[in-house]
Amino acid sequence: MKLISVYTNSFKGLSQESWMLALVMLINRAGSMVLPFLGVYMTDHLHFSIENTGVVLSFFGIGSVLGSWLGGMITDKIGEYKVQYLSLLLSVPLFCLIPIFNTEVGVAGIILAQSIVSETFRPANSVAITKYARPENITRAFSLNRMAVNLGFSIGPALGGILSAISYEFLFFSNAFAALTAGLMYIWFFGKRNKLAKLRAKKVKEAIIIKKENSPYKDRKFLVYCFFCMLFSICFFQLFSTLTIFYKDTAHLSQQSIGYILGYSGFLIVLLEMGFVQIAEKYFSLAITMLLGTFICGFSYAMIAFDYSMITLIISMTLLCIGEIWTLPFMSTITAMRSGKNNKGAYMGLNGISFSIAFIITPYIGTMLAQKFGFNALWIGTGVLATGIAIAFYFVVPWMLKDRETEDKEMS
Protein backbone atom coordinates (compact mmCIF):
# COMPACT_ATOMS: atom_id res chain seq x y z
CA MET A 1 0.00 0.00 0.00
CA LYS A 2 2.89 2.35 0.75
CA LEU A 3 4.35 1.71 -2.72
CA ILE A 4 0.95 2.42 -4.30
CA SER A 5 0.72 5.62 -2.27
CA VAL A 6 4.18 6.75 -3.42
CA TYR A 7 3.25 6.00 -7.02
CA THR A 8 -0.08 7.86 -6.94
CA ASN A 9 1.45 10.82 -5.06
CA SER A 10 4.08 11.16 -7.78
CA PHE A 11 1.35 12.36 -10.16
CA LYS A 12 -0.11 14.93 -7.78
CA GLY A 13 0.55 18.64 -8.19
CA LEU A 14 1.18 18.51 -11.95
CA SER A 15 -0.61 21.24 -13.88
CA GLN A 16 -3.28 20.68 -16.54
CA GLU A 17 -0.84 22.08 -19.08
CA SER A 18 1.77 19.47 -18.14
CA TRP A 19 -0.79 16.70 -18.68
CA MET A 20 -1.85 18.15 -22.05
CA LEU A 21 1.76 18.50 -23.22
CA ALA A 22 2.22 14.82 -22.36
CA LEU A 23 -0.96 13.88 -24.22
CA VAL A 24 0.12 15.78 -27.33
CA MET A 25 3.51 14.07 -27.12
CA LEU A 26 1.82 10.67 -26.73
CA ILE A 27 -0.30 11.18 -29.88
CA ASN A 28 2.69 12.52 -31.81
CA ARG A 29 5.06 9.72 -30.78
CA ALA A 30 2.46 6.99 -31.18
CA GLY A 31 2.15 8.30 -34.71
CA SER A 32 5.92 8.19 -35.22
CA MET A 33 5.68 4.68 -36.62
CA VAL A 34 7.64 5.44 -39.79
CA LEU A 35 11.16 5.41 -38.31
CA PRO A 36 11.31 1.74 -37.19
CA PHE A 37 10.15 0.65 -40.65
CA LEU A 38 12.13 3.03 -42.87
CA GLY A 39 14.96 0.52 -43.25
CA VAL A 40 12.57 -2.26 -44.20
CA TYR A 41 10.69 0.10 -46.54
CA MET A 42 13.88 1.01 -48.41
CA THR A 43 15.29 -2.52 -48.69
CA ASP A 44 12.02 -4.39 -49.26
CA HIS A 45 9.87 -1.91 -51.19
CA LEU A 46 12.40 0.37 -52.92
CA HIS A 47 15.08 -2.36 -53.25
CA PHE A 48 17.96 -0.22 -51.93
CA SER A 49 21.13 -2.02 -50.88
CA ILE A 50 21.74 -2.38 -47.13
CA GLU A 51 24.76 -0.08 -47.38
CA ASN A 52 22.82 2.66 -49.18
CA THR A 53 19.92 2.25 -46.75
CA GLY A 54 22.32 2.91 -43.86
CA VAL A 55 23.61 6.05 -45.56
CA VAL A 56 20.08 7.33 -46.18
CA LEU A 57 19.06 6.64 -42.57
CA SER A 58 22.03 8.70 -41.34
CA PHE A 59 20.29 11.75 -42.83
CA PHE A 60 17.62 11.38 -40.15
CA GLY A 61 20.32 11.88 -37.51
CA ILE A 62 21.78 14.86 -39.40
CA GLY A 63 18.31 16.40 -39.59
CA SER A 64 17.88 15.80 -35.87
CA VAL A 65 21.03 17.81 -35.11
CA LEU A 66 19.96 20.66 -37.40
CA GLY A 67 16.40 20.58 -36.06
CA SER A 68 17.54 20.76 -32.43
CA TRP A 69 19.76 23.75 -33.19
CA LEU A 70 17.10 25.51 -35.28
CA GLY A 71 14.31 24.76 -32.81
CA GLY A 72 16.30 26.14 -29.90
CA MET A 73 17.21 29.32 -31.77
CA ILE A 74 13.74 30.20 -33.10
CA THR A 75 12.00 29.23 -29.85
CA ASP A 76 13.78 32.08 -28.07
CA LYS A 77 12.76 34.46 -30.88
CA ILE A 78 9.12 33.59 -31.64
CA GLY A 79 8.13 31.49 -28.62
CA GLU A 80 7.59 27.80 -27.96
CA TYR A 81 3.88 27.93 -28.91
CA LYS A 82 4.43 28.82 -32.56
CA VAL A 83 7.40 26.47 -32.96
CA GLN A 84 5.45 23.48 -31.64
CA TYR A 85 2.32 23.90 -33.73
CA LEU A 86 4.31 24.79 -36.86
CA SER A 87 6.51 21.72 -36.40
CA LEU A 88 3.49 19.43 -36.02
CA LEU A 89 1.49 20.91 -38.91
CA LEU A 90 4.43 21.17 -41.35
CA SER A 91 5.24 17.50 -40.67
CA VAL A 92 1.87 16.53 -42.21
CA PRO A 93 2.65 17.29 -45.89
CA LEU A 94 6.24 16.01 -45.49
CA PHE A 95 5.00 12.60 -44.33
CA CYS A 96 2.62 12.51 -47.31
CA LEU A 97 5.46 13.35 -49.72
CA ILE A 98 7.77 10.48 -48.67
CA PRO A 99 6.13 7.82 -50.94
CA ILE A 100 6.64 10.06 -54.00
CA PHE A 101 10.45 9.67 -53.85
CA ASN A 102 12.00 6.36 -54.96
CA THR A 103 15.73 7.16 -55.37
CA GLU A 104 18.41 7.24 -52.67
CA VAL A 105 19.01 10.97 -53.15
CA GLY A 106 15.30 11.78 -53.15
CA VAL A 107 14.49 9.72 -50.05
CA ALA A 108 17.55 11.12 -48.22
CA GLY A 109 16.40 14.65 -49.04
CA ILE A 110 12.81 14.22 -47.85
CA ILE A 111 13.94 12.37 -44.69
CA LEU A 112 16.39 15.20 -43.95
CA ALA A 113 13.64 17.81 -44.39
CA GLN A 114 11.13 15.84 -42.33
CA SER A 115 13.66 15.23 -39.55
CA ILE A 116 14.62 18.92 -39.35
CA VAL A 117 10.97 20.00 -39.11
CA SER A 118 9.94 17.34 -36.59
CA GLU A 119 12.98 17.80 -34.35
CA THR A 120 12.43 21.56 -33.94
CA PHE A 121 9.54 20.39 -31.73
CA ARG A 122 11.78 18.99 -28.99
CA PRO A 123 13.51 22.12 -27.58
CA ALA A 124 10.26 24.09 -27.86
CA ASN A 125 8.41 21.34 -26.01
CA SER A 126 11.06 21.31 -23.26
CA VAL A 127 10.69 25.08 -22.84
CA ALA A 128 6.90 24.66 -22.60
CA ILE A 129 7.35 22.06 -19.86
CA THR A 130 9.44 24.48 -17.77
CA LYS A 131 6.98 27.29 -18.53
CA TYR A 132 3.85 25.53 -17.31
CA ALA A 133 5.31 23.37 -14.50
CA ARG A 134 5.69 24.62 -10.96
CA PRO A 135 9.39 24.99 -10.01
CA GLU A 136 9.23 22.11 -7.53
CA ASN A 137 7.63 19.84 -10.15
CA ILE A 138 9.89 20.44 -13.17
CA THR A 139 11.62 17.04 -13.06
CA ARG A 140 8.32 15.20 -12.62
CA ALA A 141 6.83 17.19 -15.52
CA PHE A 142 9.76 16.09 -17.71
CA SER A 143 9.26 12.53 -16.47
CA LEU A 144 5.56 12.62 -17.34
CA ASN A 145 6.50 13.78 -20.82
CA ARG A 146 9.11 11.02 -21.17
CA MET A 147 6.57 8.49 -19.97
CA ALA A 148 4.29 9.64 -22.79
CA VAL A 149 7.19 9.27 -25.26
CA ASN A 150 7.89 5.71 -24.10
CA LEU A 151 4.22 4.78 -24.18
CA GLY A 152 3.96 6.27 -27.67
CA PHE A 153 6.99 4.34 -28.87
CA SER A 154 5.46 1.16 -27.44
CA ILE A 155 2.20 1.73 -29.34
CA GLY A 156 3.75 3.14 -32.53
CA PRO A 157 5.82 0.16 -33.73
CA ALA A 158 2.93 -2.23 -33.09
CA LEU A 159 0.58 -0.06 -35.16
CA GLY A 160 3.31 0.43 -37.75
CA GLY A 161 3.71 -3.30 -38.21
CA ILE A 162 -0.01 -3.71 -38.87
CA LEU A 163 -0.25 -0.70 -41.20
CA SER A 164 2.94 -1.47 -43.17
CA ALA A 165 1.58 -4.98 -43.83
CA ILE A 166 -1.44 -3.33 -45.48
CA SER A 167 0.45 -0.61 -47.36
CA TYR A 168 3.54 1.54 -46.78
CA GLU A 169 1.61 4.51 -48.21
CA PHE A 170 -1.07 3.92 -45.59
CA LEU A 171 1.68 3.95 -42.95
CA PHE A 172 2.96 7.38 -44.04
CA PHE A 173 -0.55 8.86 -44.29
CA SER A 174 -1.40 7.54 -40.81
CA ASN A 175 1.73 9.27 -39.51
CA ALA A 176 0.55 12.49 -41.12
CA PHE A 177 -2.91 12.12 -39.54
CA ALA A 178 -1.37 11.64 -36.06
CA ALA A 179 0.78 14.78 -36.49
CA LEU A 180 -2.28 16.74 -37.65
CA THR A 181 -4.35 15.53 -34.68
CA ALA A 182 -1.59 16.43 -32.21
CA GLY A 183 -1.16 19.87 -33.81
CA LEU A 184 -4.86 20.76 -33.77
CA MET A 185 -5.24 19.53 -30.19
CA TYR A 186 -2.23 21.62 -29.15
CA ILE A 187 -3.64 24.79 -30.80
CA TRP A 188 -7.09 24.20 -29.27
CA PHE A 189 -5.77 23.83 -25.71
CA PHE A 190 -2.81 26.24 -25.63
CA GLY A 191 -4.00 29.04 -27.94
CA LYS A 192 -5.75 31.08 -25.26
CA ARG A 193 -3.24 30.13 -22.56
CA ASN A 194 -0.38 31.34 -24.74
CA LYS A 195 -2.06 34.75 -25.21
CA LEU A 196 -2.51 35.13 -21.45
CA ALA A 197 1.09 34.10 -20.82
CA LYS A 198 2.33 36.67 -23.36
CA LEU A 199 0.32 39.43 -21.67
CA ARG A 200 1.81 38.51 -18.28
CA ALA A 201 5.31 38.40 -19.75
CA LYS A 202 4.78 41.82 -21.38
CA LYS A 203 3.82 43.34 -18.03
CA VAL A 204 6.89 41.82 -16.40
CA LYS A 205 9.14 43.22 -19.16
CA GLU A 206 7.64 46.67 -18.65
CA ALA A 207 8.25 46.48 -14.92
CA ILE A 208 11.89 45.33 -14.94
CA ILE A 209 15.01 45.77 -16.99
CA ILE A 210 15.74 42.63 -18.99
CA LYS A 211 19.33 41.48 -18.69
CA LYS A 212 20.89 40.27 -21.92
CA GLU A 213 21.77 36.60 -21.50
CA ASN A 214 24.69 34.75 -23.00
CA SER A 215 24.50 32.10 -25.69
CA PRO A 216 24.85 28.49 -24.43
CA TYR A 217 27.47 28.00 -27.15
CA LYS A 218 29.72 30.40 -25.16
CA ASP A 219 28.91 28.80 -21.81
CA ARG A 220 32.03 26.68 -21.22
CA LYS A 221 30.70 24.88 -18.16
CA PHE A 222 27.50 23.92 -19.97
CA LEU A 223 29.51 22.76 -22.99
CA VAL A 224 31.49 20.45 -20.67
CA TYR A 225 28.22 19.14 -19.26
CA CYS A 226 26.81 18.54 -22.77
CA PHE A 227 29.99 16.69 -23.75
CA PHE A 228 29.42 14.19 -20.93
CA CYS A 229 25.72 13.99 -21.88
CA MET A 230 26.85 13.01 -25.38
CA LEU A 231 29.24 10.34 -24.01
CA PHE A 232 26.46 8.93 -21.83
CA SER A 233 24.13 8.88 -24.84
CA ILE A 234 26.70 6.93 -26.86
CA CYS A 235 26.66 4.29 -24.13
CA PHE A 236 22.89 4.29 -23.66
CA PHE A 237 21.81 4.41 -27.32
CA GLN A 238 23.31 0.98 -27.95
CA LEU A 239 19.88 -0.11 -26.77
CA PHE A 240 18.58 0.86 -30.23
CA SER A 241 21.40 -0.57 -32.34
CA THR A 242 24.18 -2.83 -31.06
CA LEU A 243 22.22 -4.48 -28.25
CA THR A 244 19.55 -5.90 -30.56
CA ILE A 245 22.27 -7.32 -32.84
CA PHE A 246 23.85 -8.95 -29.77
CA TYR A 247 20.48 -10.43 -28.80
CA LYS A 248 20.09 -11.93 -32.27
CA ASP A 249 23.62 -13.10 -33.14
CA THR A 250 25.19 -13.95 -29.77
CA ALA A 251 22.31 -14.65 -27.37
CA HIS A 252 20.42 -16.35 -30.25
CA LEU A 253 17.07 -14.83 -29.36
CA SER A 254 14.21 -14.91 -31.82
CA GLN A 255 12.79 -11.65 -33.16
CA GLN A 256 9.71 -12.30 -31.07
CA SER A 257 11.79 -12.63 -27.88
CA ILE A 258 13.70 -9.44 -28.72
CA GLY A 259 10.37 -7.67 -29.18
CA TYR A 260 9.20 -8.94 -25.78
CA ILE A 261 12.31 -7.61 -24.02
CA LEU A 262 12.06 -4.21 -25.70
CA GLY A 263 8.33 -4.07 -24.95
CA TYR A 264 9.08 -5.00 -21.34
CA SER A 265 11.50 -2.04 -21.09
CA GLY A 266 8.86 0.41 -22.34
CA PHE A 267 6.24 -1.00 -19.96
CA LEU A 268 8.66 -0.87 -17.02
CA ILE A 269 9.52 2.79 -17.63
CA VAL A 270 5.84 3.74 -17.83
CA LEU A 271 5.21 1.83 -14.59
CA LEU A 272 8.22 3.02 -12.56
CA GLU A 273 9.36 6.41 -13.84
CA MET A 274 7.21 8.82 -11.82
CA GLY A 275 7.69 6.91 -8.56
CA PHE A 276 11.47 6.51 -8.97
CA VAL A 277 11.85 10.19 -9.88
CA GLN A 278 10.00 11.17 -6.71
CA ILE A 279 12.28 8.89 -4.64
CA ALA A 280 15.37 10.51 -6.17
CA GLU A 281 14.04 14.03 -5.59
CA LYS A 282 13.24 13.22 -1.97
CA TYR A 283 16.39 11.36 -0.94
CA PHE A 284 19.21 12.23 -3.40
CA SER A 285 20.91 15.36 -4.63
CA LEU A 286 21.08 15.97 -8.39
CA ALA A 287 24.76 14.98 -8.40
CA ILE A 288 24.09 11.69 -6.57
CA THR A 289 21.10 10.89 -8.82
CA MET A 290 23.19 11.41 -11.98
CA LEU A 291 26.04 9.36 -10.48
CA LEU A 292 23.76 6.43 -9.62
CA GLY A 293 21.75 6.53 -12.84
CA THR A 294 24.79 6.63 -15.13
CA PHE A 295 26.65 3.94 -13.19
CA ILE A 296 23.62 1.60 -13.19
CA CYS A 297 23.26 2.01 -16.98
CA GLY A 298 26.93 1.09 -17.46
CA PHE A 299 26.67 -1.87 -15.09
CA SER A 300 23.59 -3.18 -16.94
CA TYR A 301 25.69 -3.47 -20.10
CA ALA A 302 28.83 -4.80 -18.41
CA MET A 303 27.02 -7.69 -16.73
CA ILE A 304 25.95 -9.29 -20.04
CA ALA A 305 29.62 -9.69 -20.99
CA PHE A 306 29.79 -12.54 -18.47
CA ASP A 307 26.40 -14.19 -18.91
CA TYR A 308 23.57 -13.78 -21.41
CA SER A 309 20.98 -16.25 -20.19
CA MET A 310 17.41 -14.98 -20.43
CA ILE A 311 17.17 -14.19 -16.71
CA THR A 312 20.39 -12.14 -16.90
CA LEU A 313 19.15 -10.27 -19.97
CA ILE A 314 15.91 -9.38 -18.16
CA ILE A 315 17.80 -8.21 -15.05
CA SER A 316 20.13 -6.20 -17.28
CA MET A 317 17.20 -4.52 -19.03
CA THR A 318 15.53 -3.79 -15.68
CA LEU A 319 18.69 -2.07 -14.41
CA LEU A 320 19.06 -0.17 -17.68
CA CYS A 321 15.51 1.18 -17.27
CA ILE A 322 16.17 2.27 -13.68
CA GLY A 323 19.43 3.94 -14.72
CA GLU A 324 17.63 5.70 -17.57
CA ILE A 325 14.92 6.97 -15.20
CA TRP A 326 17.55 8.41 -12.86
CA THR A 327 19.47 10.08 -15.68
CA LEU A 328 17.53 11.38 -18.70
CA PRO A 329 14.74 13.46 -17.05
CA PHE A 330 17.27 15.01 -14.65
CA MET A 331 19.49 16.01 -17.59
CA SER A 332 16.62 18.17 -18.84
CA THR A 333 16.02 19.61 -15.37
CA ILE A 334 19.70 20.52 -14.99
CA THR A 335 19.66 22.17 -18.42
CA ALA A 336 16.60 24.23 -17.44
CA MET A 337 18.28 25.25 -14.17
CA ARG A 338 21.44 26.35 -15.97
CA SER A 339 19.61 28.44 -18.57
CA GLY A 340 18.25 31.95 -18.09
CA LYS A 341 14.68 33.13 -18.52
CA ASN A 342 15.09 34.23 -22.13
CA ASN A 343 17.44 31.60 -23.58
CA LYS A 344 15.91 28.30 -22.46
CA GLY A 345 15.23 27.29 -26.05
CA ALA A 346 18.87 27.68 -27.06
CA TYR A 347 20.02 25.69 -24.01
CA MET A 348 17.49 22.91 -24.63
CA GLY A 349 18.47 22.88 -28.30
CA LEU A 350 22.18 22.53 -27.54
CA ASN A 351 21.53 19.74 -25.06
CA GLY A 352 19.35 18.05 -27.70
CA ILE A 353 22.21 18.31 -30.19
CA SER A 354 24.43 16.27 -27.85
CA PHE A 355 21.85 13.44 -28.02
CA SER A 356 21.44 13.79 -31.78
CA ILE A 357 25.19 13.53 -32.40
CA ALA A 358 25.30 10.40 -30.28
CA PHE A 359 22.36 8.98 -32.23
CA ILE A 360 24.35 9.39 -35.45
CA ILE A 361 27.67 7.91 -34.34
CA THR A 362 26.62 5.21 -31.85
CA PRO A 363 25.63 2.55 -34.45
CA TYR A 364 28.96 2.97 -36.27
CA ILE A 365 31.15 2.96 -33.14
CA GLY A 366 29.27 0.09 -31.51
CA THR A 367 29.23 -2.24 -34.51
CA MET A 368 32.86 -1.43 -35.37
CA LEU A 369 34.11 -2.23 -31.85
CA ALA A 370 31.96 -5.37 -31.66
CA GLN A 371 33.30 -6.61 -34.98
CA LYS A 372 36.92 -5.84 -34.14
CA PHE A 373 37.10 -6.82 -30.47
CA GLY A 374 33.90 -8.78 -29.80
CA PHE A 375 30.75 -7.97 -27.87
CA ASN A 376 32.25 -8.87 -24.48
CA ALA A 377 34.92 -6.19 -24.86
CA LEU A 378 32.27 -3.71 -26.03
CA TRP A 379 30.06 -4.27 -22.98
CA ILE A 380 32.94 -4.13 -20.50
CA GLY A 381 34.26 -1.00 -22.20
CA THR A 382 30.79 0.55 -22.01
CA GLY A 383 30.64 -0.19 -18.29
CA VAL A 384 34.07 1.35 -17.66
CA LEU A 385 33.24 4.45 -19.75
CA ALA A 386 29.87 4.92 -18.01
CA THR A 387 31.57 4.69 -14.61
CA GLY A 388 33.95 7.47 -15.62
CA ILE A 389 31.03 9.58 -16.90
CA ALA A 390 29.13 8.97 -13.64
CA ILE A 391 32.07 10.32 -11.61
CA ALA A 392 32.35 13.30 -13.97
CA PHE A 393 28.64 14.12 -13.54
CA TYR A 394 29.08 13.99 -9.75
CA PHE A 395 31.58 16.86 -9.93
CA VAL A 396 30.39 18.76 -13.04
CA VAL A 397 26.72 19.18 -12.03
CA PRO A 398 27.27 21.04 -8.71
CA TRP A 399 30.21 22.95 -10.24
CA MET A 400 27.94 24.23 -13.02
CA LEU A 401 24.79 24.88 -10.96
CA LYS A 402 26.66 26.64 -8.17
CA ASP A 403 27.86 29.11 -10.78
CA ARG A 404 24.24 29.75 -11.88
CA GLU A 405 23.06 30.17 -8.26
CA THR A 406 25.77 32.80 -7.71
CA GLU A 407 24.63 34.71 -10.82
CA ASP A 408 20.96 34.59 -9.71
CA LYS A 409 21.89 35.99 -6.27
CA GLU A 410 23.83 38.82 -7.88
CA MET A 411 20.84 39.67 -10.11
CA SER A 412 18.47 39.71 -7.15
Side-chain angles (χ1 to χ4, degrees):
M1 290 300 294
K2 190 174 180 180
L3 286 173
I4 294 172
S5 177
V6 169
Y7 184 74
T8 55
N9 287 337
S10 67
F11 290 93
K12 292 181 179 179
L14 293 170
S15 65
Q16 284 185 331
E17 291 83 0
S18 295
W19 282 100
M20 182 54 71
L21 285 169
L23 180 59
V24 169
M25 181 65 81
L26 172 61
I27 295 171
N28 188 34
R29 293 308 171 190
S32 295
M33 55 192 82
V34 164
L35 184 59
F37 295 93
L38 272 178
V40 179
Y41 168 72
M42 285 186 279
T43 55
D44 181 53
H45 187 72
L46 299 179
H47 307 294
F48 293 176
S49 68
I50 294 175
E51 184 180 359
N52 287 345
T53 297
V55 172
V56 172
L57 285 174
S58 68
F59 278 82
F60 181 87
I62 295 170
S64 180
V65 172
L66 295 173
S68 294
W69 168 77
L70 182 64
M73 180 183 67
I74 62 176
T75 293
D76 291 330
K77 292 185 177 180
I78 67 173
E80 90 292 337
Y81 173 72
K82 287 183 180 178
V83 174
Q84 286 188 91
Y85 81 70
L86 286 173
S87 173
L88 291 169
L89 296 183
L90 289 175
S91 293
V92 175
L94 290 173
F95 277 125
C96 294
L97 286 172
I98 293 176
I100 295 175
F101 298 90
N102 52 23
T103 65
E104 286 90 342
V105 174
V107 176
I110 191 64
I111 287 176
L112 176 66
Q114 199 282 327
S115 179
I116 291 173
V117 170
S118 64
E119 289 304 307
T120 57
F121 181 84
R122 285 180 179 271
N125 182 257
S126 296
V127 171
I129 291 170
T130 63
K131 177 180 177 179
Y132 290 110
R134 299 183 182 94
E136 66 274 14
N137 292 335
I138 286 179
T139 302
R140 288 197 292 134
F142 276 114
S143 295
L144 180 66
N145 207 258
R146 262 180 34 82
M147 191 171 74
V149 171
N150 280 286
L151 185 58
F153 275 133
S154 297
I155 298 170
L159 289 174
I162 297 170
L163 295 173
S164 62
I166 300 171
S167 167
Y168 283 111
E169 286 77 10
F170 193 46
L171 174 66
F172 294 126
F173 294 146
S174 298
N175 252 127
F177 178 75
L180 178 63
T181 303
L184 294 177
M185 182 177 291
Y186 178 80
I187 293 170
W188 167 75
F189 187 85
F190 285 98
K192 188 175 180 180
R193 285 169 170 79
N194 182 64
K195 289 179 181 178
L196 293 173
K198 285 176 73 175
L199 287 173
R200 286 194 296 267
K202 186 177 180 181
K203 290 179 180 179
V204 170
K205 286 182 180 180
E206 291 172 351
I208 63 173
I209 299 173
I210 302 298
K211 180 183 176 182
K212 186 178 180 181
E213 291 170 322
N214 293 327
S215 164
Y217 297 91
K218 296 179 181 179
D219 186 341
R220 293 181 181 179
K221 290 186 177 182
F222 186 68
L223 289 172
V224 171
Y225 169 72
C226 284
F227 173 73
F228 285 110
C229 288
M230 183 190 70
L231 290 182
F232 168 80
S233 301
I234 290 173
C235 295
F236 176 74
F237 283 162
Q238 291 181 92
L239 169 66
F240 305 111
S241 55
T242 329
L243 186 61
T244 51
I245 298 173
F246 170 80
Y247 284 162
K248 183 72 175 177
D249 295 347
T250 304
H252 304 297
L253 299 185
S254 65
Q255 287 177 294
Q256 189 177 27
S257 297
I258 294 172
Y260 287 149
I261 292 178
L262 295 179
Y264 164 76
S265 70
F267 170 76
L268 198 64
I269 289 171
V270 170
L271 182 66
L272 299 180
E273 176 140 1
M274 297 298 289
F276 269 68
V277 164
Q278 189 176 42
I279 290 171
E281 287 184 320
K282 187 174 182 179
Y283 296 107
F284 307 144
S285 66
L286 283 171
I288 291 292
T289 302
M290 294 293 289
L291 171 72
L292 289 174
T294 306
F295 174 77
I296 291 171
C297 283
F299 181 76
S300 71
Y301 281 113
M303 66 183 294
I304 59 176
F306 303 96
D307 179 47
Y308 41 85
S309 61
M310 180 57 76
I311 185 65
T312 302
L313 295 180
I314 293 173
I315 293 172
S316 170
M317 184 57 73
T318 303
L319 291 174
L320 183 62
C321 291
I322 294 171
E324 176 187 352
I325 290 168
W326 278 348
T327 308
L328 293 182
F330 290 93
M331 282 184 180
S332 298
T333 301
I334 291 166
T335 300
M337 292 173 69
R338 178 64 182 176
S339 65
K341 292 182 179 179
N342 302 306
N343 59 2
K344 287 189 186 297
Y347 269 84
M348 291 296 181
L350 178 54
N351 193 242
I353 287 172
S354 67
F355 290 95
S356 299
I357 292 172
F359 191 79
I360 294 172
I361 64 179
T362 298
Y364 297 103
I365 293 177
T367 52
M368 180 188 70
L369 292 176
Q371 187 172 356
K372 193 170 184 180
F373 302 104
F375 277 109
N376 288 352
L378 174 63
W379 302 141
I380 293 171
T382 300
V384 171
L385 177 60
T387 301
I389 298 166
I391 295 170
F393 275 139
Y394 179 76
F395 291 103
V396 168
V397 169
W399 169 66
M400 182 178 64
L401 294 183
K402 184 179 179 181
D403 187 50
R404 169 55 67 184
E405 289 170 5
T406 303
E407 289 180 13
D408 289 342
K409 287 180 181 177
E410 290 174 355
M411 288 177 65
S412 60

